[in-house]
């Protein structure tokens, strides 16, 4: 068609999911990924992985507690959250999620409670309010058999897979946004979740458990493998677009062609991904570099979070019906910056409170065998 | 390549306009993301709208009257007329193209099954509505609509959209946009009634009717007469109004920059 069109008049549509959504998707992905990291040490009782499991469990619990808060905040009518249960519509992925999430939370708390309980019981012998509180929390001095821990862990794991599935499907089923409408998206959520969770574990290892080398090595390995798999997935997604017809890839290329900002972001994402992957290789190869693993950890957390920001926020700026892109600038208020900072603040508070109350660095229940 | 695809989409658009006449309501089932059963409304009717673009002058009377009738917040619209300027590259001739947009009251509305609390639902007469007392404001439906026909109303903090003015239709009045349309471009009516004006016009112009974004499989029930294929999906056009910025990137006089 040899004519040019200009859109003269069209309304601007605001974004409908706020940064709270990014916070939820980030927290919950770190939560289920960190839960996976506890499996070898805690559920299988493999001694080599117990230090890793210790840190990962702390990450799991804190993120599991904070995630749902962010989710609630993303509702425009948060006080109506009980409608989810009063007006169940199990045909909606979001509704399925509203059923899975509390069960997941309960199972994770049960798992952590059983894992931390022996140390809590020990602490209960101490004088003072911490001892008293530990007594209450550990609910008596009876010994919980190991199978209870394993059972709780497997239960949490089962719901974790449910969370992976629903958070991915919820977004990926939306045909209206071609960029989201690909089966690779849920896979990418899980892989980048593993990257971020391992990164956070490595970071906390640096800050709270004395930069344990074994934890660093195991964390870096998970980051490396997940990054490599993410690269494969990205390649498959693109090749799907080249060899066949994939509206998702087509929409991505359209945005890259038409928008300089997107080009910048794509180049940045690629660069950071390559840097992180190379850094993990270097650190794993050169023993002396391992002490700097926290730098890779920081980068890994950044990648996991930014991926969700790009997917959930930036994609919303692509006009569905009209030409061009919406400008989205993060607002200062609770639906923007305050929400982002607030979620991280809440997470930090949860971390510190647990650190004060729970002697989580001591041997876990699995370690007593 | 692009031309072929567009032509193909054009074909689909025409076909879908035809297929839309077969009611999908019978196909509702209970799998994840399937359409839940319709409820309320007159089961004997199927409301739809036909927009005769040849008669639209782009005056925005519908936009304004809808805004007043339905008290949408400033800057949010249940209906609006997109306006395009098309310049012929060789001759430099300029033509304008008007495209009234509203909820398509799709027969396979992707906004309905996603709602976690069944606040959004389709009536048996085909009208898609939101129960604002139930809606939790999760905005999932806003994401799911391929037409940007929904928004979160900043006053009610719940989902908002065109209802074909169901409150007026139910008492025998016409929707505000239809009532105020200067050119008589908007025709609303019952597709189940073969003698309604819309049914007669649909029969007469069957070949030329188009719907928006047919590739989404939503089976829209707002039909366009005199539509150009290039505007059917996201148009490849230069967005003008967002470019009204100063050198520093600051907006100059965008009316609704209030939030
Ligand atoms: S146009 Fe959008 S809001 Fe209206 S019925 Fe279709 S999907 Fe739902
Ligand atoms: S915003 Fe309201 S109507 Fe829309 S999906 Fe959420 S609860 Fe349903």
């Amino acid at each position: 068609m040899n004519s040019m069109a200009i859109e003269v008049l069209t309304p601007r549509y605001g974004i409908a999911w706020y940064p709270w959504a990014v916070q939820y998707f980030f927290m919950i992905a770190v939560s289920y990924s960190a839960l996976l990291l506890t499996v070898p040490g805690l559920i299988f009782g493999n001694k080599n992985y117990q230090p890793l499991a210790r840190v990962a469990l702390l990450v799991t619990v804190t993120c599991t507690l904070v995630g749902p808060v962010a989710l609630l905040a993303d509702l425009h009518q948060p006080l109506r959250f009980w409608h989810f249960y009063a007006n169940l519509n199990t045909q909606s992925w979001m509704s399925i999620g509203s059923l899975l999430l509390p069960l997941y939370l309960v199972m994770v708390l049960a798992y952590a409670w059983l894992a931390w309980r022996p140390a809590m019981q020990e602490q209960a012998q101490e004088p003072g309010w911490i001892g008293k509180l530990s007594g209450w929390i550990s609910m008596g001095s009876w010994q919980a058999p190991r199978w209870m821990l394993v059972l709780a862990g497997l239960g949490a794991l089962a719901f974790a897979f449910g969370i992976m599935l629903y958070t991915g499907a919820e977004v990926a089923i939306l045909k209206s946004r071609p960029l989201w409408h690909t089966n690779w998206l849920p896979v990418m959520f899980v892989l980048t979740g593993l990257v971020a969770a391992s990164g956070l574990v490595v970071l906390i290892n640096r800050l709270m458990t004395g930069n344990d080398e074994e934890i660093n090595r195991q964390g870096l390995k998970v980051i490396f493998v997940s990054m490599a798999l993410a690269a494969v997935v990205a390649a498959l997604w693109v090749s799907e677009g080249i060899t066949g017809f994939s509206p998702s890839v087509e929409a991505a290329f359209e945005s890259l062609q038409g928008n300089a900002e997107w080009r910048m972001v794509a180049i940045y994402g690629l660069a950071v991904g390559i840097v992180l992957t190379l850094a993990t290789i270097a650190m794993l190869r050169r023993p002396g570099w391992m002490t700097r693993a926290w730098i890779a950890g920081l980068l890994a957390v950044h990648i996991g979070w930014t991926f969700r920001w790009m997917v959930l926020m930036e994609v919303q700026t692509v006009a569905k019906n009209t030409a061009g892109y919406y400008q989205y600038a993060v607002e200062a208020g609770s639906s923007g910056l305050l929400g982002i900072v607030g979620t991280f603040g809440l997470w930090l508070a949860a971390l510190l409170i647990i650190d004060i109350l729970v002697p989580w660095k001591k041997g876990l229940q699995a370690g007593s065998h | 390549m692009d031309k072929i695809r567009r032509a193909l989409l054009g074909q689909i658009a025409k076909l879908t306009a035809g297929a839309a006449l077969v009611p999908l309501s019978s196909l509702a089932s209970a799998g994840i993301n399937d359409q839940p059963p319709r409820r309320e409304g007159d089961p004997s009717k199927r409301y739809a709208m036909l927009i005769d673009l040849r008669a639209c002058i782009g005056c925005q009377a519908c936009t304004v009257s809808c805004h007043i009738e339905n008290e949408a917040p400033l800057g949010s619209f249940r209906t609006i007329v997109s306006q395009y300027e098309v310049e012929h590259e060789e001759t430099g001739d300029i033509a304008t193209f008007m495209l009234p947009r509203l909820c398509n009251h799709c027969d396979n509305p992707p906004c309905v099954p996603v709602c976690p609390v069944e606040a959004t639902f389709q009536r048996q007469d085909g009208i898609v509505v939101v129960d604002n007392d139930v809606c939790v404001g999760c905005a999932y439906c806003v994401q799911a609509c391929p037409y940007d026909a929904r928004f979160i109303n900043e006053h009610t903090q719940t989902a908002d959209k065109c209802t074909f003015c169901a409150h007026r239709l139910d008492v025998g009045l016409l929707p505000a946009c239809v009532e105020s349309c200067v050119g008589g471009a908007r025709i609303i009516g019952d597709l189940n009634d073969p003698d309604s004006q819309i049914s007669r016009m649909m029969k007469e112009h069957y070949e030329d009717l188009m719907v928006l974004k047919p590739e989404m499989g939503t089976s829209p029930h707002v039909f366009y007469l005199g539509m150009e294929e290039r505007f059917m999906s996201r148009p490849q056009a230069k967005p003008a109004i967002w470019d009204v910025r100063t050198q520093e990137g600051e907006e100059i006089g965008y009316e609704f920059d209030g939030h």
Side-chain angles (χ1 to χ4, degrees), chain A residues 1-18 74-78 80-85 87-96 98 169-171 173-178 180 245 250 254-255 312 316-327 331, chain B residues 3 5-6 29-36 60 75 77 80-90 101 113-118 132-140 142-148 152 156-158 213 216 230 234-235 237-242 245 251 254 257 259:
Chain A
M1 252 171 264
N2 43 356
S3 57
M4 231 241 317
I6 300 173
E7 192 165 62
V8 185
L9 189 72
T10 195
R12 177 171 37 186
Y13 305 87
I15 65 162
W17 282 348
Y18 292 144
D74 200 44
L75 296 182
H76 289 78
Q77 291 279 4
R80 290 189 183 172
F81 77 93
W82 57 273
H83 288 195
F84 275 105
Y85 307 103
N87 298 44
L88 216 58
N89 173 19
T90 45
Q91 269 159 273
S92 158
W93 276 109
M94 191 181 277
S95 172
I96 293 172
S98 73
E170 185 177 70
V171 179
I173 55 141
L174 293 174
K175 258 195 199 159
S176 56
R177 296 208 181 274
W180 287 346
F245 178 64
E250 197 193 27
E254 206 173 281
S255 287
L312 294 173
Q316 286 189 72
T317 67
V318 183
K320 283 187 203 157
N321 221 1
T322 48
Y325 297 80
Y326 311 129
Q327 298 288 330
E331 286 168 38
Chain B
K3 247 186 206 157
R5 227 194 107 217
R6 241 186 245 132
S29 57
I32 297 181
N33 222 38
D34 282 341
Q35 295 296 340
Q60 306 284 357
F77 301 94
I80 184 128
V81 185
S82 291
Q83 304 191 341
Y84 299 91
E85 236 174 58
V86 187
E87 187 184 335
H88 198 282
E89 254 170 29
E90 280 136 39
R101 296 180 187 275
V114 296
C115 178
V117 293
E118 291 189 330
N132 294 95
D133 291 328
V134 174
C135 170
V136 294
C138 68
Y140 199 8
V142 181
Q143 304 290 5
C145 169
Y147 305 97
D148 267 337
I152 295 288
T156 64
Q157 290 294 321
T158 52
K213 286 197 175 179
M216 287 286 161
R230 66 186 298 173
R234 201 178 161 214
K238 216 171 138 258
I241 204 138
W242 294 316
R245 287 170 182 278
E251 277 176 298
Y254 188 88
D257 191 29
H259 52 97

Side-chain angles (χ1 to χ4, degrees), chain B:
Chain B
M1 148 81 200
D2 221 32
K3 247 186 206 157
I4 297 173
R5 227 194 107 217
R6 241 186 245 132
L8 193 71
L9 285 181
Q11 280 311 311
I12 303 175
K14 285 176 185 157
L15 289 176
T16 334
L21 300 173
V22 184
L24 255 174
S25 48
S26 49
L27 301 178
S29 57
I32 297 181
N33 222 38
D34 282 341
Q35 295 296 340
R38 297 178 183 183
R39 56 184 213 249
E40 299 176 23
D42 184 347
S44 69
K45 290 196 162 90
R46 198 342 169 170
Y47 284 113
M49 190 180 280
L50 191 153
I51 300 182
D52 187 348
L53 296 176
R54 302 167 307 184
C56 173
I57 58 167
C59 67
Q60 306 284 357
C62 50
T63 311
V64 174
S65 60
C66 171
H67 215 267
I68 292 167
E69 173 71 24
N70 295 302
E71 299 174 337
L74 208 60
S76 299
F77 301 94
R78 288 183 175 193
T79 187
I80 184 128
V81 185
S82 291
Q83 304 191 341
Y84 299 91
E85 236 174 58
V86 187
E87 187 184 335
H88 198 282
E89 254 170 29
E90 280 136 39
T91 62
D93 287 345
I94 287 185
T96 42
F97 184 74
M98 316 296 172
L99 183 53
R101 296 180 187 275
L102 67 159
C103 167
N104 290 287
H105 298 275
C106 310
D107 225 33
N108 185 23
C111 56
V112 169
V114 296
C115 178
V117 293
E118 291 189 330
T120 223
F121 64 95
Q122 187 156 33
R123 308 201 320 180
Q124 299 184 78
D125 54 13
I127 300 180
V128 175
V129 291
V130 180
D131 182 342
N132 294 95
D133 291 328
V134 174
C135 170
V136 294
C138 68
Y140 199 8
C141 57
V142 181
Q143 304 290 5
C145 169
Y147 305 97
D148 267 337
R150 288 171 170 259
F151 56 93
I152 295 288
N153 182 315
E154 61 186 48
H155 295 152
T156 64
Q157 290 294 321
T158 52
D160 199 326
K161 68 182 281 296
C162 154
T163 60
F164 269 172
C165 276
H167 59 291
R168 293 173 62 93
L169 283 178
D170 288 348
V171 294
L173 296 171
L174 288 173
C177 59
V178 176
E179 195 80 78
S180 63
C181 181
V182 179
R186 292 188 183 226
I187 293 116
I188 193 163
D190 177 13
L191 288 185
N192 289 348
D193 172 4
D195 293 327
S196 64
Q197 189 191 356
I198 189 167
S199 292
R200 279 185 279 116
M201 284 188 77
M202 295 239 343
K203 207 188 266 160
E204 185 184 341
H205 300 287
Y206 184 74
E207 290 290 306
D208 305 315
L209 291 176
M210 281 197 203
V211 292
L212 293 179
K213 286 197 175 179
E215 73 277 13
M216 287 286 161
T218 51
S219 184
H221 268 49
V222 172
F223 303 93
Y224 293 91
L225 189 55
M227 179 75 175
E228 263 205 57
E229 272 164 32
R230 66 186 298 173
F231 294 105
M232 233 165 40
S233 290
R234 201 178 161 214
Q236 292 196 332
K238 216 171 138 258
I241 204 138
W242 294 316
D243 287 346
V244 188
R245 287 170 182 278
T246 62
Q247 293 281 300
E248 287 76 44
E250 227 168 274
E251 277 176 298
I252 324 170
Y254 188 88
E255 197 180 340
F256 298 112
D257 191 29
H259 52 97

Side-chain angles (χ1 to χ4, degrees), chain A residues 11 71 147 172 254 305 312 336 352:
Chain A
L71 182 62
W147 62 262
E254 206 173 281
W305 189 84
L312 294 173
L352 294 179

Side-chain angles (χ1 to χ4, degrees), chain A residues 24-34 189-190 192-194 197 308:
Chain A
Y24 171 67
F25 274 81
F26 179 71
M27 286 291 169
I28 210 67
V30 171
S31 155
Y32 64 60
S33 306
F189 274 148
V190 174
T192 53
L194 275 167
R308 280 159 183 77

